[in-house]
Amino acid sequence: MFSADEMDYLESLKGFNPIQPHIDKFQQASKHDNLAVTGLSRDSYLDFAEARVRQFFPFQNENGGILDPSDGKEHEFATASFAKAGAILLANDRCKDLQDLILLAMDWACTCLGENRVPDDHADFTTYMLVRAYQLLTSMVETKRSDAWKMNLSKVEPESFYCQTVRNFPDIRSIRNWATYAMHGEMMRYREGLTDSMAFIDKYLKPQMTRFTREGLYRDPNLPAAYDLAARQQLSGLLDAGYDGEWKEFLDSQLRKGAQTMLFMQSTTGGTSSGGRSNQIIWNDLTYAYLCEREAARYAKEGDLAWAGTFKRAARKALQSILRWIEDPVEFRLLKNRFASELRNGWEFYAYYSTYSLYAAQIAASCFESAEESIQEQATPADLGGYVVPIESFHRIYATAGPQQGSYHVVMDTSAQMGHDATGWVRLHKAELPEESALSMGIPGLSGNVHMNYFVAKQVIPRPHTPAAIGLTWRDGHGVWHRLAGFGRRKHEAFVSLDKDGVPTKPEEMHWQANLANVLADAAALSFQVHYAATGLQLLNEMDLRTPGDDLHLAYKRAIADMLPRPGVEGIAAITESYRIAVEGVTTEWSVEAAEDMPLSAIGVTVPVLVSNGTDESTIRIEGNKLVVSYANSRYVIQLIGESDDVELELLPGLMPNRNGNYRLAQWISKDVSKPIKLHFSMEKDLTPSERSDKH
């Protein structure tokens, strides 16, 4: 199954985590003595689960299925999620008044699984949920009813019931995260005596192992952050259900490694990483919380209370970060915006309000089961800050500043998936401020989307043709504007065949080679550079473009020259971004190196600024070369640094959507391409008049 190179890669995964120096430094750092604990107990998870079960029981039909409010149909794993969350609630003396409805949902979900008619061909996801519900509910019902559940759960034929098997994916290595759910379910069935075979796990687990990166993360096609979390959660469940096969040791080591790595990807707000499909949905943060609660309990059992406390706090910070969406007074917000749920703004075609809300509920219920309340919270990496961590396998750089450095969190995506994200500076957060105030993810564009465009999130208004992030724009010698944001991954990469370094054997050629340099951290500031070097890859026109000869008419020569590929990347040989993060804000300088024989006519910096999250509007005003955005309780200021005679600020009129809201694009443009453009970004709480008075 594996080539010699892939075997070498698997062996290398047993070794050093590339970010181990950051882990070691964190362990050695003095922790906060005055750390303010989150104050969230494990009951908060059950509170969320109960709220969702109560929210959706009115949509239950006479058979027990949970219908979606949008179309009145049962979808995917909604009913199984309702049954599992409900079972955990009942087992903990919650929702006793809904017991009959929870049991009815269990009846129907088991029947659908046993008869291979789970809605939307999603049996892969339901088995582990229903076996857990079976474990908890059996003692609450008469034998006849539990026997019916057992019979249906025993009838599962994995190869024909589950969707992502070799009957649909002849190359077993192309099967993605769905297999982790199915294997988790099969392990639980085996543990409960509902099957006597582990053949499915033995067959499908091995091909999943090369999906791990050296940092312990899981690569689903095109590198979505959400499905790294989801797959690691399910593989954790496989181990917890008793897997003791050939890959146990390897899997355990990768999951430990990945859990430590993801701590350095957490924002100072507590939020999880963005990127790829299904991101910015609150089940992402709950999955992160589950992985952390599991690690906390495991470390506590081993007697390592320092790591246990760190993971417990990371879990509670993730939960804390989504409370504003959970507790929204208008409606529960499944996705991190305030558009009405029926608009499905920012959702993929496969996301339904019922399925993902109840899916989140059953994760939260599992968080409750895993949580160990006696553990004392300890500082997390995001609490201490002072680091810049590259996650090379996901083309990401995470820079997190400590409290003395302003508690900012910035993320660069150096090779984004086109259609979902944008290349460049895609996240600017500050602790205790709404994540969307500045930017939580890039602005996806239509240009260069991978062929599987049905995975793209739905938007109420059209996406722009060209993606946008905080980053460089330039005008070549022929007058054409380009953005760094628009150069990223366009190929549908499934990570099927790898070389000894874990890189696809037929990698997509990229326009830029990015590297992190000159990282410096002291008590007052965090500074670093990101350097993009042109690889020489050209955007070739498909026309027959012959080099113009001396005998051609001058106008024809000019026309041909305008269509020929520009040297470098559309006239740029290199881009250097210099960052300094301190308590007063983030100061960033952009400079360019023009390609040989390709004069540039202008450079600029684009910055998306929020207009609305669906209901809450911002106020945007321009003061010379300074732009001020007032939103919710925050004030976001972008100020040009240095001489301003050559630089002009323009706020473009069109709306540009991402999953969090609608933005407009501000851009600072200079015709003097020899000079860098330097901007200062700051975020502060916008004090009320009484607060200002008290402060003075």
Side-chain angles (χ1 to χ4, degrees), residues 490-564:
R490 288 170 164 80
K491 181 179 176 181
H492 178 59
E493 182 53 72
F495 303 100
V496 172
S497 176
L498 306 176
D499 66 16
K500 60 183 176 60
D501 295 317
V503 176
T505 51
K506 296 181 179 179
E508 180 177 3
E509 292 186 82
M510 303 309 300
H511 292 88
W512 300 101
Q513 179 64 48
N515 67 78
L516 173 67
N518 300 324
V519 179
L520 295 171
D522 57 35
L526 182 64
S527 61
F528 60 97
Q529 289 184 327
V530 180
H531 185 72
Y532 292 87
T535 63
L537 179 66
Q538 300 288 352
L539 292 174
L540 294 177
N541 192 308
E542 293 180 356
M543 296 174 63
D544 179 17
L545 300 176
R546 287 161 288 187
T547 304
D550 292 336
D551 56 340
L552 290 178
H553 190 279
L554 181 60
Y556 187 81
K557 284 184 178 181
R558 289 172 176 166
I560 290 291
D562 185 41
M563 290 186 289
L564 285 170

Side-chain angles (χ1 to χ4, degrees), residues 140-338:
M140 302 181 195
V141 300
E142 67 281 3
T143 303
K144 181 179 178 181
R145 196 170 197 176
S146 62
D147 283 349
W149 299 340
K150 182 176 182 179
M151 177 190 69
N152 279 308
L153 293 172
S154 300
K155 286 164 63 177
V156 175
E157 297 176 9
E159 290 287 355
S160 57
F161 280 38
Y162 298 141
C163 176
Q164 294 219 359
T165 61
V166 291
R167 68 184 170 91
N168 291 323
F169 293 77
D171 187 342
I172 195 171
R173 297 173 303 171
S174 67
I175 294 172
R176 57 190 193 276
N177 74 85
W178 288 41
T180 65
Y181 288 86
M183 289 185 291
H184 182 188
E186 286 306 295
M187 191 66 234
M188 292 187 71
R189 283 207 313 135
Y190 184 82
R191 179 177 178 176
E192 289 300 311
L194 301 168
T195 179
D196 59 2
S197 174
M198 288 186 60
F200 183 85
I201 298 170
D202 292 338
K203 178 178 179 179
Y204 287 93
L205 183 58
K206 183 177 180 179
Q208 295 292 309
M209 296 300 95
T210 51
R211 289 194 173 276
F212 279 101
T213 72
R214 288 194 171 95
E215 301 94 348
L217 305 178
Y218 177 97
R219 293 181 293 196
D220 212 47
N222 303 320
L223 302 173
Y227 293 105
D228 156 57
L229 296 170
R232 286 192 289 116
Q233 180 197 13
Q234 297 307 314
L235 292 169
S236 298
L238 178 70
L239 290 181
D240 295 342
Y243 175 73
D244 195 26
E246 175 187 2
W247 295 96
K248 178 184 177 181
E249 240 180 79
F250 177 86
L251 187 54
D252 183 64
S253 68
Q254 298 311 303
L255 293 172
R256 283 176 178 251
K257 190 190 298 184
Q260 291 185 342
T261 295
M262 74 182 186
L263 291 173
F264 292 84
M265 300 162 71
Q266 187 174 28
S267 173
T268 53
T269 65
T272 60
S273 182
S274 65
R277 59 192 176 88
S278 290
N279 80 82
Q280 299 299 293
I281 304 175
I282 66 156
W283 68 253
N284 292 199
D285 302 87
L286 286 165
T287 305
Y288 182 96
Y290 172 83
L291 288 166
C292 288
E293 294 286 8
R294 177 184 182 269
E295 289 297 299
R298 186 174 59 75
Y299 276 111
K301 189 175 181 180
E302 295 171 357
D304 190 338
L305 297 182
W307 272 119
T310 291
F311 276 106
K312 178 182 176 180
R313 179 170 174 81
R316 306 299 163 95
K317 291 282 285 184
L319 174 61
Q320 189 176 58
S321 75
I322 58 175
L323 290 180
R324 60 185 285 241
W325 307 113
I326 291 171
E327 298 170 352
D328 189 289
V330 176
E331 67 169 342
F332 161 64
R333 307 291 180 175
L334 173 61
L335 196 131
K336 296 179 181 179
N337 65 49
R338 297 196 73 212

Side-chain angles (χ1 to χ4, degrees), residues 603 625 640 643-648 669-672 675:
I603 62 169
N625 269 314
L640 178 71
E643 297 180 11
S644 60
D645 293 345
D646 298 318
V647 181
E648 294 182 3
I669 300 298
S670 172
K671 293 180 182 178
D672 187 348
K675 293 181 181 178

